[in-house]
């Protein structure tokens, strides 16, 4: 049976976010004690928290990528307009 480590998913997505330019910080980790009486509820609690963290990282990555695309579009337009202006005025910028 294959073991799934949800924390590794969060770490992998955090690396992807960092590679995309997101400033990723790691907060304090919390130890969770699980016993027979709390196994189910604590497992669900931990998985829910990891899912929230993972979604936040994915949202930040998508926002960063959208910002990068918008910047690139505006930068290209600026460069084109600057080149056109230089061409018309013969002034170097």
């Amino acid at each position: 049976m294959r073991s799934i480590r949800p924390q590794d998913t969060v770490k992998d997505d955090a690396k992807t976010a960092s590679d995309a330019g997101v400033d990723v910080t790691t907060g304090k980790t919390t130890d969770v004690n699980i016993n027979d009486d709390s196994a189910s509820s604590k497992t669900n609690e931990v998985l829910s928290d990891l899912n929230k963290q993972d979604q936040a990282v994915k949202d930040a990555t998508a926002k960063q990528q959208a910002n990068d695309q918008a910047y690139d579009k505006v930068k290209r337009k600026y460069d084109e307009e600057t080149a056109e202006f230089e061409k018309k005025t013969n002034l170097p910028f």
Side-chain angles (χ1 to χ4, degrees):
M1 183 171 171
R2 183 172 171 246
S3 175
I4 297 173
R5 294 176 40 114
Q7 66 272 26
D8 290 341
T9 300
V10 175
K11 288 178 184 177
D12 291 345
D13 287 341
K15 182 178 178 340
T16 299
S18 182
D19 291 346
V22 176
D23 184 17
V24 178
T25 57
T26 303
K28 183 183 144 237
T29 58
T30 304
D31 291 331
V32 177
N33 295 314
I34 298 176
N35 57 41
D36 289 342
D37 295 332
S38 68
S40 180
S41 65
K42 285 293 183 181
T43 299
N44 289 337
E45 180 183 322
V46 169
L47 290 175
S48 176
D49 183 54
L50 288 171
N51 284 334
K52 288 176 187 174
Q53 291 177 42
D54 192 45
Q55 190 59 52
V57 169
K58 287 178 178 178
D59 291 347
T61 301
K63 183 176 181 179
Q64 181 66 43
Q65 290 170 335
N67 288 344
D68 288 346
Q69 289 174 352
Y71 171 82
D72 290 344
K73 182 178 178 181
V74 169
K75 176 77 166 85
R76 275 192 305 277
K77 184 171 177 61
Y78 170 82
D79 290 344
E80 289 168 4
E81 289 176 357
T82 300
E84 185 64 29
F85 181 77
E86 287 177 4
K87 187 176 171 183
K88 288 180 181 177
T89 62
N90 276 336
L91 296 174
F93 283 90

